[in-house]
Amino acid sequence: MTGSGNNFYQVFHEFQNISFLLIASIIAGAFLMIYILQRLILALAKRVPGKFRLILPPMIPIFRLTILIAAFFSIVPLIIKPTVQNFIAIFGAVGLTLGFAFKDYFSSLIAGIVAVWEQPYRPGDWITVDEVYGEVQSLGLRSVLVLTPDDTLVNIPHSKIWNSSISNANSGKHTHLCIADFFLDPRHDAQAVRRRLLDVALTSPYLQLDRPVNVMVSEKPWGTHYRIKAYPVDGRDEFHFTTDLTVRGKSALSGLGVSHVTAPAITLKD
């Protein structure tokens, strides 16, 4: 036991020979560099064209991880005697310990690297993960921060990409499809209703004019289901847009004397 203990302590430099000031400086410098780099990338993203604006922010976690790894490998030789045997012994022990203690964290960390590379979501995307819907605010090494329509910030671990379906409404574009639903009594002039709802969509101040506008109609046992499908100028106006379509659509339909009905909940996915 004593021999093993002596061999273990021989892995490290003598305590008095370890430059803790230098170690602290490396750590402080790494976090300062991360802070400055993050601010620069975000500032640059606001000045470049839209396509590049969506590409730059997802690169922040990669730069952050690179800086932290460089800092780690700069600190290790200051604490451990730089021999192959010592590095194998230390990294083997640390890797085994951390692997058991932080397996979920490392799973999310690896998934985060995959997410940055494959880009299933990026800042500005509107995603749905396990019934959580919202706009991606930022990507961390471990999780993605999503702002829901209720103004709630939700941290979702990247590891969700291993076993959950992720829906992305705009996938890097600045806008996405919005839908306003209307459930009507079937006794009406469908052509007149469809034309009126189309006019409602085309006169909305939120409408993206160069994207398609459609009014889809389907007949159900309980009535007629109309759906206005259109794109807002900015995806962040989704709820203002659908509210505008709904309010003015109901007013327009009231002028036609059309009655609304209540659709069974099971049919809302149609």
Side-chain angles (χ1 to χ4, degrees):
M1 290 294 291
T2 303
S4 298
N6 289 335
N7 290 336
F8 179 78
Y9 286 112
Q10 287 174 2
V11 170
F12 297 94
H13 289 295
E14 297 293 335
F15 183 82
Q16 62 272 19
N17 293 332
I18 298 177
S19 178
F20 292 101
L21 180 60
L22 179 57
I23 292 173
S25 299
I26 293 173
I27 295 173
F31 282 101
L32 179 61
M33 189 180 300
I34 290 172
Y35 174 78
I36 294 174
L37 190 62
Q38 182 170 307
R39 295 294 295 270
L40 286 175
I41 291 176
L42 293 177
L44 182 61
K46 294 179 181 178
R47 298 177 179 271
V48 297
K51 179 180 179 181
F52 297 100
R53 176 173 57 86
L54 297 173
I55 293 175
L56 288 174
M59 301 302 294
I60 291 176
I62 295 179
F63 290 126
R64 185 187 304 150
L65 180 62
T66 302
I67 293 171
L68 291 176
I69 291 175
F72 175 76
F73 281 102
S74 298
I75 292 173
V76 168
L78 300 176
I79 300 174
I80 299 173
K81 294 177 181 179
T83 66
V84 175
Q85 293 83 354
N86 288 349
F87 280 125
I88 293 176
I90 291 298
F91 286 128
V94 171
L96 186 62
T97 302
L98 294 180
F100 282 108
F102 299 100
K103 61 179 181 179
D104 292 335
Y105 181 88
F106 284 116
S107 175
S108 293
L109 185 63
I110 295 171
I113 296 172
V114 173
V116 170
W117 179 259
E118 295 186 351
Q119 294 189 329
Y121 41 71
R122 67 212 82 186
D125 284 358
W126 286 80
I127 64 172
T128 303
V129 183
D130 287 349
E131 299 184 355
V132 175
Y133 175 68
E135 182 183 10
V136 175
Q137 299 295 295
S138 62
L139 297 177
L141 291 176
R142 188 194 65 85
S143 63
V144 54
L145 189 64
V146 174
L147 180 65
T148 71
D150 297 326
D151 201 28
T152 301
L153 286 171
V154 181
N155 266 300
I156 303 175
H158 291 302
S159 58
K160 288 291 183 180
I161 67 175
W162 303 137
N163 50 25
S164 298
S165 297
I166 299 175
S167 301
N168 193 321
N170 56 324
S171 190
K173 299 180 177 63
H174 68 278
T175 188
H176 56 274
L177 181 68
C178 296
I179 298 175
D181 292 289
F182 299 88
F183 308 102
L184 308 180
D185 185 285
R187 292 166 293 185
H188 62 265
D189 184 346
Q191 288 284 4
V193 169
R194 190 166 185 265
R195 284 195 301 267
R196 187 63 60 89
L197 291 179
L198 187 60
D199 289 340
V200 167
L202 292 174
T203 54
S204 173
Y206 298 99
L207 180 67
Q208 176 73 272
L209 295 174
D210 61 353
R211 300 300 298 272
V213 179
N214 292 297
V215 177
M216 312 305 293
V217 187
S218 58
E219 198 67 24
K220 308 294 180 183
W222 43 263
T224 307
H225 182 192
Y226 288 81
R227 311 186 86 190
I228 300 178
K229 295 185 175 184
Y231 294 80
V233 175
D234 192 318
R236 288 172 290 188
D237 291 328
E238 172 185 357
F239 301 102
H240 295 295
F241 185 40
T242 54
T243 297
D244 176 66
L245 294 177
T246 302
V247 171
R248 293 193 305 110
K250 291 189 70 171
S251 177
L253 294 175
S254 177
L256 291 177
V258 180
S259 300
H260 292 264
V261 295
T262 301
I266 193 173
T267 64
L268 292 179
K269 295 182 179 180
D270 294 347

